[in-house]
Amino acid sequence: MLRNDKRLIERAEQVVPGGVYGHMSTYLMPDGVPQYYTKSKGTYLWDADGNKYFDCLSAYGPNLLGYGNAQVQDAIRNQLEHCDTMSGPSPLMVDLAEAMVDMIDHANWAMFCKNGTDATSIATTIARAKTGRSKIVVGRGIYHGCLPWSTPSMEGVQPADRMNLIYFDVTDMDSFTDAVRQAGDDLAGVIVTPYRHEVFGDQHFFPQEMAQLIRKSCDEKEAVLILDEVRTGFRLSVGSAWSEHGVQPDISCWGKMLGNGQPISAVLGTDEVKQAASSIYVTGSFWFSAVPMAAAIETLRQVREGSYFKQIMAYGRRLRAGLEDRARAFGFELSQTGPVTMPQILFREDPDFRIAYRFCQLLAQNGVLFSPYHNMFMNAGMTDEAIDGVLETSEKVFAELKDTRGNIPAIPDRVTEKLNKRKPLLGLGQKQKLA
Ligand code: PMP
């Protein structure tokens, strides 16, 4: 029973518009997934009623090394003793910029902010400052943040907020070429994520040719290529994601995992766009706070050591293979897509997501937090034993799903309604045929 959680939701409805807003709202989750948490450790969360969960959502990305990672906690505590938010940055800002420039191939400079949305918005502003042009080519339905130019909802958004965006279908190279042609000589830049990781659908890797075509078009047009690594950062590689395609962006955006949960994001760029970056005016009251920077420096140190990467790869493989076997044994076919470190787990022959929703609902009732529509994130606070525990739980859940297969309830109406409203904006590709 989630008595305290329910009470908190009721109280929040009185004093917080929408209760919890945005991606952390459980509005789109199956009933029974808790909204509020009171404790985190490693890969575990405790809800407001004291129930413990294996959390595969990893705070939707920020939990890279494990909640409460000992060395990151030490760095935070130590920095808190000295200073945090002041009338100027601490020297850590320079240390952190140097660390990022050393680690990321294309980076000659770094700017810091708080959220991924800050980073992507700054990046597009720099592209416009650099080129003196207005159009940005952007993948349809790709999430780059929650400001009017990027939010997946049109409530409160004016067409003028988006009139300088030209959308392309990220699975279709011709549509990219068309978008660039449409921009003519007013193309400031292209913003793209390393692969397609949108909600309610299978994830798509872009072929190498696509990355190369985007780079080539930006070069020809003298436009700025922005790679949005806010979600993928350090989960695809210990560096820039498109290095494996031989493609370097002019600007990249980082956030989420950078401080292992501390609020900090970054924009990195090449020398060619440095002057433009220094010409724009961007700032925030908390952007120079020292504690998140101390956390980021320690996170990057562990990232450079690289052992976390082997771990999250191994945990991801173990989970994917184990779920595949168990699903099959009970007569289900999963559609597991995306990198193993950022798994998207849907069911085949589940056009209205009802099996996925029931699966995640039963998992939550048994102490495992999975998402039926959003990619999840592996973290280094997981262990083989913990993954095996999830697999054991999944067996029980698959068994119940099998027994009740003909009677699985439809997903809540609120989810269908919201989805249908957002469908055109989400650019849903695969599994969007909701009634
Ligand atoms: N870009 C991408 C690719 C993202 O996944 C996100 C967040 N999910 C953002 C930008 C925005 O980041 P934030 O929520 O920190 O503003």
Side-chain angles (χ1 to χ4, degrees):
M1 269 311 283
L2 301 179
R3 277 203 194 87
N4 292 339
D5 195 71
K6 190 162 175 284
R7 181 79 192 105
L8 283 163
I9 290 169
E10 286 163 1
R11 282 171 55 201
E13 270 161 17
Q14 303 304 310
V15 290
V16 182
V20 172
Y21 33 85
H23 70 299
M24 291 209 185
S25 166
T26 49
Y27 193 81
L28 293 182
M29 280 290 199
D31 293 327
V33 171
Q35 177 69 83
Y36 292 92
Y37 300 99
T38 57
K39 186 175 150 185
S40 62
K41 185 79 203 148
T43 193
Y44 293 101
L45 292 179
W46 283 259
D47 69 17
D49 292 87
N51 302 303
K52 182 181 176 184
Y53 301 87
F54 174 99
D55 170 32
C56 209
L57 303 176
S58 301
Y60 289 89
N63 180 17
L64 179 69
L65 304 173
Y67 291 117
N69 175 274
Q71 291 98 324
V72 176
Q73 289 299 103
D74 283 349
I76 293 170
R77 265 193 296 268
N78 181 46
Q79 189 54 43
L80 268 174
E81 293 290 312
H82 293 90
C83 58
D84 187 14
T85 303
M86 303 179 287
S87 311
S90 87
L92 291 181
M93 180 174 174
V94 186
D95 296 340
L96 180 56
E98 286 172 349
M100 296 216 77
V101 165
D102 283 349
M103 279 178 71
I104 306 298
D105 287 344
H106 58 268
N108 297 123
W109 54 264
M111 293 167 78
F112 300 105
C113 32
K114 287 289 117 183
N115 290 293
T117 306
D118 303 335
T120 54
S121 302
I122 290 171
T124 56
T125 307
I126 296 172
R128 288 174 170 137
K130 161 78 180 156
T131 57
R133 306 177 195 153
S134 50
K135 302 290 183 215
I136 303 282
V137 166
V138 49
R140 186 174 295 107
I142 300 291
Y143 188 70
H144 292 295
C146 64
L147 284 180
W149 74 270
S150 53
T151 174
S153 162
M154 280 308 273
E155 303 295 330
V157 173
Q158 297 296 310
D161 293 319
R162 299 183 181 207
M163 73 183 198
N164 284 317
L165 301 181
I166 303 178
Y167 295 96
F168 75 104
D169 175 352
V170 289
T171 56
D172 176 359
M173 292 205 238
D174 290 342
S175 106
F176 174 75
T177 312
D178 276 353
V180 169
R181 194 176 306 129
Q182 231 177 294
D185 51 15
D186 198 22
L187 181 67
V190 176
I191 184 165
V192 66
T193 50
Y195 74 97
R196 187 185 161 86
H197 46 50
E198 294 338 288
V199 291
F200 286 103
D202 291 337
Q203 317 279 281
H204 296 277
F205 288 108
F206 301 146
Q208 184 177 31
E209 306 87 75
M210 178 116 180
Q212 290 175 343
L213 172 72
I214 293 175
R215 178 70 272 175
K216 188 162 157 270
S217 303
C218 286
D219 289 343
E220 282 169 6
K221 293 272 190 171
E222 295 183 351
V224 176
L225 170 51
I226 303 162
L227 192 60
D228 177 357
E229 291 239 40
V230 170
R231 198 180 305 186
T232 53
F234 302 134
R235 279 193 171 89
L236 298 186
S237 69
V238 185
S240 178
W242 276 3
S243 293
E244 64 166 27
H245 293 323
V247 170
Q248 297 295 336
D250 303 299
I251 299 180
S252 56
C253 306
W254 303 74
K256 289 191 181 282
M257 83 312 295
L258 193 51
N260 200 50
Q262 284 295 301
I264 183 160
S265 59
V267 185
L268 310 182
T270 62
D271 276 335
E272 284 68 36
V273 287
K274 191 172 175 194
Q275 171 54 33
S278 64
S279 74
I280 64 169
Y281 184 83
V282 284
T283 186
S285 296
F286 304 104
W287 287 14
F288 302 96
S289 301
V291 168
M293 293 194 182
I297 288 169
E298 173 53 28
T299 301
L300 291 181
R301 189 191 66 73
Q302 294 188 45
V303 164
R304 278 195 307 275
E305 276 178 11
S307 60
Y308 85 98
F309 193 72
K310 279 195 212 106
Q311 284 174 277
I312 60 174
M313 287 289 285
Y315 300 145
R317 286 197 194 105
R318 196 177 186 96
L319 182 70
R320 185 166 288 188
L323 285 175
E324 199 68 46
D325 288 349
R326 284 161 181 83
R328 207 163 279 153
F330 289 94
F332 292 96
E333 237 195 286
L334 296 178
S335 178
Q336 302 199 73
T337 57
V340 291
T341 54
M342 295 173 62
Q344 173 83 320
I345 303 174
L346 302 174
F347 284 74
R348 294 199 198 285
E349 291 166 44
D350 184 26
D352 63 2
F353 298 96
R354 69 176 66 202
I355 307 178
Y357 265 70
R358 182 69 179 142
F359 179 62
C360 291
Q361 184 174 48
L362 291 170
L363 282 177
Q365 284 167 9
N366 287 278
V368 175
L369 289 176
F370 266 33
S371 174
Y373 64 88
H374 196 293
N375 78 274
M376 304 188 290
F377 300 83
M378 307 310 279
N379 71 73
M382 294 173 171
T383 58
D384 285 347
E385 295 71 42
I387 303 276
D388 291 347
V390 170
L391 294 173
E392 228 169 84
T393 303
S394 78
E395 244 170 70
K396 199 166 122 186
V397 167
F398 281 127
E400 182 163 347
L401 277 181
K402 186 180 174 196
D403 288 347
T404 54
R405 191 158 189 165
N407 307 311
I408 296 175
I411 65 174
D413 286 346
R414 62 172 190 273
V415 180
T416 313
E417 276 161 26
K418 192 132 221 159
L419 253 179
N420 284 337
K421 213 165 162 191
R422 294 213 180 143
K423 227 190 279 181
L425 287 160
L426 287 167
L428 288 172
Q430 278 258 23
K431 287 195 138 201
Q432 72 278 46
K433 289 186 190 62
L434 296 173

